[in-house]
Amino acid sequence: MRTNEVHADAGRANAQATRHEVIVIGGGPTGLMLASELAIAGVDVALVERRTTQGVPETRALGLLPRAIETLDLRGIGERFVAAGKTYPMLNFHVPLDVSGFPSKRNYLLGLVQNEVERLLAEWASTLPIAFYRGATATGLRQSDGGVHVALDSGGALVGQYLVGCDGGRSMVRKSVGIPFEGWPASTSWVMAEAPMRSEPKWGFHTDATGRQHAIVKGDAPGFAKLVLVESEPDLSREPTLEDLSRALHQAYGSDFGIHAPTWVSRFTDMARQATRYRDDRVLLAGDAAHVHAPLGGQGLGIGLQDAMNLGWKLAQVVKAISPPSLLDTYEKERHPVAARVLQSSMALSALRRPDAQAQALARYFAELLAMDEPQRRMTAEVSGLGTAYDLGGAHPLSGRRMPDIDLHSTDGSTHAYRHLHAGRPVLFILDANADTASRNGFERVDVVHARPAEPFTIPVEGDVPIPAAILVRPDGYIAWAGSPRDPSLGQAVEAWFGNPIAMEETAH
């Protein structure tokens, strides 16, 4: 056991609640990313996860989209994920979308199943000062002036200044604080599995007599198959079984091919729901606890990672009294619309897959539309996440946009932008060598990098934009401000996002 892991039954021996600054409930990708972000920022963080190991036996998400990979690059760990997977130049939204020409070093889909993503995230998290409570389930919580109190099934308890629920679509945290989870019920369900078959199935995609599409591909071991089958009626009342697999195969193929002894079986639906708000005083939500949708399009895992990175540095600043609690309101303001848009796209994809004649007529028209250059570029920017922007105000077109990982020339040689964000600190890039910075005030907690861009700033779809004399980049990789370093608005932006201006910490680059 790692030295930062805690036995789940520790509370039995001591009725006194254990205190941490922040408690994260749920150790999936979002929870791991958030706990790591908080640890990097120097926060005492506890992560509660019911699994004793990080293993995910079933296949869930199948890959990472470009902005999700960039999110990992911001902390210097993206390459280890890329090395473990396989890259593809095409995304998919009803039709293939070519992302290879987009302005990103990660302009591809990374094929990497969720259990590998979690394993790599857990390896990284294990190197950070995080208190892991594995094999523990949070059974309830209450808020008080002293913080958030969490009861564990072991009989122990934790207390934190803040708590974040990353505990999935059935989130205990969300239900405990009474945040509504509004949206649309399931109209279709799919059953997935990996299992051996006694006779060879029809490999690949298959459209049955009703127009529903199914898939069977070769599994990870000889004689095994992986399958995704549309069920005739959505069933959310229980976990799927071997009998459900056999029934779905008979309906789709007329045979179950002697399927038996599945390694795992799971079910997903096209239900689309979102928390009406992401915060209740000292309790916040992220990832699937805040939004669920069908995995069509592959955006779910990535937006959970980006929720975590958006929230992590803000919550750290509030815990350390650098920023007021109102900074946390910007988390919901920025991330709620992103998830709402993903829910809309997921429902659109579900509708386009319906087998009825009207839906198929719409699907053909939609395919024709996406064959045109401009609609395809816009959809690619949206699905990839590279086009995501926040309304942060500011006159420069880069304001609120993601910082691209452009190559830079500095006094000590060539570098790239994301290298300077690995520590999770805000960075002021001074890009104009002739900029007069002598009279500007300094700012605590902001690193300064003097460098010259080796390539243009390009906004997906819209093209190249003028390079400003300076840009202020948040720890989550979004540009908070762009302009002249002598402009008083720079000081205002630093104070708004990173605390009061005191003394700039110049770094040697």
Side-chain angles (χ1 to χ4, degrees):
M1 177 177 289
R2 294 188 301 268
T3 56
N4 59 338
E5 286 192 347
V6 181
H7 284 289
D9 60 358
R12 291 197 182 106
N14 185 1
Q16 183 69 33
T18 304
R19 287 190 169 271
H20 297 278
E21 289 178 320
V22 176
I23 302 167
V24 176
I25 307 295
T30 302
L32 286 167
M33 190 77 195
L34 178 59
S36 299
E37 284 292 287
L38 291 165
I40 287 171
V43 172
D44 173 15
V45 56
L47 191 149
V48 180
E49 167 56 37
R50 60 181 175 79
R51 292 172 291 170
T52 56
T53 68
Q54 204 62 45
V56 182
E58 71 271 20
T59 297
R60 295 181 183 176
L62 299 176
L64 293 170
L65 297 171
R67 183 55 186 166
I69 312 170
E70 286 188 345
T71 299
L72 301 167
D73 283 333
L74 286 166
R75 296 299 175 262
I77 60 172
E79 197 56 44
R80 66 183 73 178
F81 291 81
V82 174
K86 185 175 181 180
T87 62
Y88 303 90
M90 309 300 286
L91 312 182
N92 191 281
F93 188 93
H94 183 59
V95 300
L97 302 172
D98 188 353
V99 73
S100 62
F102 268 58
S104 169
K105 286 183 169 63
R106 303 302 191 184
N107 51 2
Y108 46 75
L109 167 69
L110 177 64
L112 189 66
V113 295
Q114 182 170 328
N115 55 349
E116 280 295 288
V117 172
E118 288 202 26
R119 180 184 65 82
L120 292 168
L121 281 173
E123 285 182 0
W124 176 51
S126 71
T127 67
L128 301 171
I130 301 168
F132 287 85
Y133 291 79
R134 292 197 180 276
T137 299
T139 58
L141 64 88
R142 62 181 177 85
Q143 298 190 66
S144 71
D145 292 341
V148 187
H149 302 246
V150 183
L152 303 179
D153 59 352
S154 62
L158 303 174
V159 179
Q161 293 182 41
Y162 285 88
L163 179 143
V164 186
C166 302
D167 52 339
R170 298 188 178 101
S171 172
M172 177 281 296
V173 173
R174 187 188 65 244
K175 294 173 183 176
S176 294
V177 295
I179 295 178
F181 203 41
E182 297 182 352
W184 297 266
S187 64
T188 304
S189 63
W190 293 261
V191 63
M192 301 175 63
E194 183 169 20
M197 291 179 164
R198 294 189 175 93
S199 59
E200 185 168 324
K202 180 179 179 180
W203 300 109
F205 290 95
H206 167 68
T207 302
D208 66 19
T210 69
R212 295 184 175 92
Q213 193 173 69
H214 315 268
I216 304 178
V217 299
K218 292 185 177 181
D220 296 331
F224 277 71
K226 289 182 178 180
L227 52 156
V228 182
L229 307 167
V230 184
E231 297 185 287
S232 56
E233 295 292 338
D235 186 355
L236 305 179
S237 63
R238 55 182 175 79
E239 294 300 315
T241 64
L242 174 61
E243 288 71 27
D244 294 315
L245 287 174
S246 178
R247 184 183 310 110
L249 281 165
H250 273 292
Q251 290 171 343
Y253 295 87
S255 169
D256 69 0
F257 305 104
I259 192 169
H260 62 283
T263 304
W264 54 264
V265 186
S266 65
R267 175 182 281 127
F268 66 91
T269 77
D270 62 351
M271 177 177 67
R273 296 189 182 277
Q274 185 175 22
T276 56
R277 61 186 191 278
Y278 283 9
R279 179 186 173 200
D280 183 89
D281 194 13
R282 292 178 176 270
V283 175
L284 298 106
L285 304 174
D288 287 355
H291 40 74
V292 296
H293 56 88
L296 306 174
Q299 299 180 71
L301 196 161
I303 64 171
L305 295 179
Q306 292 160 69
D307 284 351
M309 186 162 279
N310 184 288
L311 175 59
W313 66 273
K314 296 174 182 177
L315 185 53
Q317 289 187 179
V318 172
V319 166
K320 293 181 174 299
I322 295 169
S323 298
S326 59
L327 180 65
L328 297 176
D329 295 335
T330 67
Y331 164 61
E332 178 182 320
K333 180 181 178 182
E334 293 171 3
R335 296 304 301 169
H336 197 282
V338 173
R341 181 69 177 179
V342 171
L343 261 66
Q344 290 289 324
S345 68
S346 174
M347 289 191 294
L349 279 174
S350 294
L352 291 169
R353 288 187 173 214
R354 286 197 342 244
D356 59 90
Q358 291 92 339
Q360 288 305 297
L362 178 62
R364 287 190 290 272
Y365 271 97
F366 201 79
E368 291 178 9
L369 178 68
L370 288 179
M372 303 176 189
D373 290 343
E374 181 70 8
Q376 183 168 130
R377 281 196 299 270
R378 291 190 176 276
M379 187 58 70
T380 306
E382 179 176 332
V383 173
S384 67
L386 299 175
T388 298
Y390 303 136
D391 183 8
L392 304 185
H396 199 279
L398 287 174
S399 178
R401 297 279 181 173
R402 75 183 234 291
M403 174 69 182
D405 191 16
I406 60 172
D407 292 329
L408 301 169
H409 295 311
S410 61
T411 54
D412 62 351
S414 297
T415 181
H416 59 94
Y418 285 8
R419 172 196 156 194
H420 303 284
L421 290 154
H422 289 177
R425 290 169 55 87
V427 177
L428 178 65
F429 289 92
I430 305 295
L431 304 175
D432 185 350
N434 298 316
D436 179 7
T437 62
S439 63
R440 65 178 167 83
N441 291 324
F443 309 101
E444 189 183 36
R445 295 176 293 272
V446 176
D447 293 341
V448 181
V449 174
H450 296 267
R452 180 169 50 85
E455 55 187 298
F457 275 83
T458 305
I459 297 177
V461 180
E462 298 182 26
D464 294 351
V465 299
I467 298 175
I471 55 173
L472 179 65
V473 182
R474 307 187 322 187
D476 61 348
Y478 282 84
I479 297 171
W481 171 95
S484 167
R486 294 178 60 88
D487 193 316
S489 63
L490 171 57
Q492 296 165 5
V494 169
E495 184 172 2
W497 290 110
F498 312 121
N500 295 324
I502 303 174
M504 179 71 74
E505 182 178 331
E506 292 280 357
T507 58
H509 294 292

